[in-house]
């Protein structure tokens, strides 16, 4: 049985590990190639795009894929829609592996927004020293002259490219992060507002607890809507069980 995992996430790597131990299962993980040195999962790995939904459907047919699992980042909306269309074209079962989103706790000062642009518009009323944890993509939303007086600490795995905020310090780092580390980061950089996407999961959640403790507001970008009518799993273990049901 050939399983293609659209990965690049912690959940995708964990699922590849689980399926690598399954007898009679061949696993291929596909990575987008946006990170210079990704953590490679076990099994076969391909890097790069497919050429849209039609290209993915052709790849599924050519490589005799029996099951497709979309374990991409919750904000990789285009890929999720391409996966749904490709699975339908190739008549391949599809499962979406999605970590649950974060839920505000007592004491949180969250400001939900629908986009990075909306997050940028909200900042001047909330703080002057911004911890921006949305990754290196999309920094142009925070590069406008109306935010020139704000200072940004940008954390990402790889160095960002212009356009970027006018006043910016870059911190190259990769989760998981610790609560003590996030507390110290907020203190050392005198952060008074945090911006994050609702990525969910535990690897980057400590920043939310640190902000809560410090009384720092958090601008949370809501997840984009995904394709409807797709089978879903919340954990790699659930996804592995779905594969086993297909095997019978």
């Amino acid at each position: 049985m050939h399983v293609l995992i659209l990965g690049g996430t912690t959940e995708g790597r964990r699922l590849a590990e689980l399926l690598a131990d399954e007898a009679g299962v061949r696993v291929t993980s596909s990575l987008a190639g946006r990170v210079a040195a990704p953590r490679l999962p076990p099994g076969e790995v391909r890097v790069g795009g497919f050429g849209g939904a039609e290209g993915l459907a052709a790849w599924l047919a050519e490589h005799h894929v029996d099951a497709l699992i979309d374990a991409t980042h919750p904000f990789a909306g285009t890929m999720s829609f391409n996966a749904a269309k490709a699975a339908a074209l190739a008549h391949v079962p599809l499962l979406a592996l999605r970590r649950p989103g974060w839920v505000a706790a007592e004491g949180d000062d969250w400001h939900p927004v629908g986009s990075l642009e909306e997050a940028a518009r909200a900042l001047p009323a909330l703080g002057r020293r911004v911890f921006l944890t949305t990754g290196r993509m999309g920094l142009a939303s925070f590069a406008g002259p109306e935010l020139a007086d704000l200072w940004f600490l940008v954390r990402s795995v790889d160095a960002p490219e212009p356009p970027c905020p006018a006043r910016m310090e870059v911190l190259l780092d990769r989760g998981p992060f610790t609560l003590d580390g996030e507390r110290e980061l907020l203190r050392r950089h005198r952060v008074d507002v945090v911006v994050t996407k609702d990525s969910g999961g535990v690897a980057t959640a400590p920043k939310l607890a640190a902000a809560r403790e410090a009384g720092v507001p958090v601008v949370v970008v809501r997840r984009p809507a995904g394709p409807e009518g797709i089978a879903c799993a919340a954990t790699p273990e659930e996804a592995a069980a779905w594969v086993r049901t297909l095997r019978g």
Side-chain angles (χ1 to χ4, degrees):
M1 182 180 187
H2 188 191
V3 180
L4 174 62
I5 301 173
L6 304 177
T9 58
T10 302
E11 291 76 16
R13 287 190 298 274
R14 176 56 181 156
L15 177 59
E17 292 171 358
L18 292 173
L19 294 181
D21 294 332
E22 293 278 337
V25 176
R26 172 190 171 195
V27 181
T28 301
S29 295
S30 176
L31 310 181
R34 292 179 177 174
V35 176
R39 293 172 176 168
L40 298 181
E44 300 173 40
V45 177
R46 69 172 303 280
V47 178
F50 291 93
E54 289 75 12
L56 175 55
W59 199 96
L60 296 175
E62 179 183 353
H63 293 83
H64 307 288
V65 173
D66 300 294
L68 175 62
I69 299 178
D70 175 15
T72 56
H73 192 276
F75 282 79
T78 299
M79 190 66 239
S80 293
F81 280 99
N82 284 346
K85 184 176 180 180
L89 289 172
H91 305 289
V92 171
L94 169 64
L95 177 77
L97 173 53
R98 288 286 177 267
R99 68 184 81 144
W102 290 316
V103 178
E106 183 177 355
D108 280 324
D109 181 13
W110 285 12
H111 299 259
V113 296
S115 65
L116 292 176
E117 292 75 18
E118 192 176 340
R121 291 193 294 270
L123 286 178
L126 295 173
R128 312 301 294 176
R129 297 183 65 82
V130 185
F131 182 25
L132 189 58
T133 68
T134 56
R136 66 188 179 93
M137 310 297 289
L139 292 186
S141 300
F142 303 90
E146 66 278 4
L147 300 182
D149 292 337
L150 274 60
W151 177 86
F152 290 82
L153 175 64
V154 175
R155 182 165 68 190
S156 62
V157 175
D158 294 322
E161 298 178 355
C164 297
R167 302 174 61 213
M168 176 184 73
E169 179 176 333
V170 176
L171 175 61
L172 299 182
D173 205 353
R174 188 199 311 252
F177 303 105
T178 66
L179 179 55
D180 285 342
E182 300 294 64
R183 286 170 175 154
E184 173 59 19
L185 186 148
L186 296 185
R187 185 201 64 78
R188 183 172 70 252
H189 294 281
R190 308 192 312 279
V191 169
D192 57 11
V193 60
V194 176
V195 181
T196 184
K197 295 177 178 177
D198 181 16
S199 300
V202 299
T204 61
K207 64 188 170 191
L208 302 175
R212 182 190 314 126
E213 292 178 358
V216 171
V218 181
V219 180
V220 181
V221 182
R222 292 186 293 266
R223 295 181 177 188
E228 298 181 354
I230 305 299
C232 294
T235 67
E237 289 74 18
E238 290 180 15
W242 177 80
V243 171
R244 296 186 196 104
T245 62
L246 293 181
R247 296 180 64 197

